[in-house]
Amino acid sequence: MKSITRLKNKVLEGASITEDEAMSLVDLTDQEYDELLEAATEITARFGSKDFDSCSIINARSGRCPEDCKWCAQSAHHTTDISVYPLVDRETCMNLADYNHRKGIGRFSLVTSGRTVSGKALDTICDYYRELSSREGMGLCASMGLLDAEALRRLREAGVKRYHCNLESAPSYFPTLCSTHTIEDKIRTIEAAREAGMEVCSGGIIGMGESMAQRVEFALTLRRISPVSIPINVLCPIPGTPLENAAPLTEREVLQTVALFRLIHPRAVLRFAGGRGLLSTETQRKALRIGINGSIMGDLLTTIGAQIDEDIDMIRECGYNFGQQPSGDK
């Protein structure tokens, strides 16, 4: 039997588990699975903040993306039933930001379709962020693809403190999902964002056909960039995308993945993102106990998120404080 207790104690003592140790947790008996979830619970209690890290997003530019990511409804390579529009207007952006801020959500991010943002669109976005930065207690994030160092510097000067760029999946699997850019392209952007003075938020999507071993590989790859926040999306298959018929994950697979990520990233915020609405309330509560201590709240990019008030009730019932100022923004 694997010594999950030994690995738990190693993490609690401040050490990192090795690749071989992480891979040993891929195939588990029922008893080992229970032990893994309890180990993750203890690690979360030791290293995780009780102040829940909440964020919200606006789909600030939608559709016509030249990238061919198989999971994405916004790719121009797929035929999907989504809204297509250029950059959202200032009033819409500010109204949504203020609404979510009044609800107690700590962070707000503009997310744009496309490989990158430049020119007048970047000028306008920086203007938006300068206005948003005047809101007391609102943490600002951005998710705008493969930006260059100059664009990232401008966003930081406009008030953005955290940049989001998902690695999405394991290096061994990502090329089967996207051919128009690579994980190394993403890592270069992430390193440039950190050099510009921003924190890094980077995670991905599970349930795209990858194996549990590849999810471990993915989590280990994320250690290269040490994100403070790791979004964990559960694939929500969208009609018209190549993954529209992907087999759903079992709730055990989702919880095992969250627990594995917690052992590999004991101090990061593990953030529920898209697809969590596919999970039962019981499973979402278990996830909050074993490792999830952050979430994207409200409507998401091309799917509908959970109701904010219902989320807040569940988060508080699971022992977290909600409505605290984001860490690093105090």
Side-chain angles (χ1 to χ4, degrees), residues 71 207 234-248 275 278 303:
W71 64 86
V234 179
L235 180 70
C236 184
I238 297 172
T241 65
L243 297 182
E244 64 179 332
N245 295 315
L278 301 173
T303 58

Side-chain angles (χ1 to χ4, degrees), residues 68-73 77-81 173 177 205 207-209 234-249 278 303:
D68 66 357
C69 308
K70 288 184 178 180
W71 64 86
C72 187
H77 297 261
H78 317 320
T79 302
T80 59
D81 183 21
Y173 195 65
L177 299 168
I205 307 171
M208 297 193 288
V234 179
L235 180 70
C236 184
I238 297 172
T241 65
L243 297 182
E244 64 179 332
N245 295 315
L249 294 178
L278 301 173
T303 58

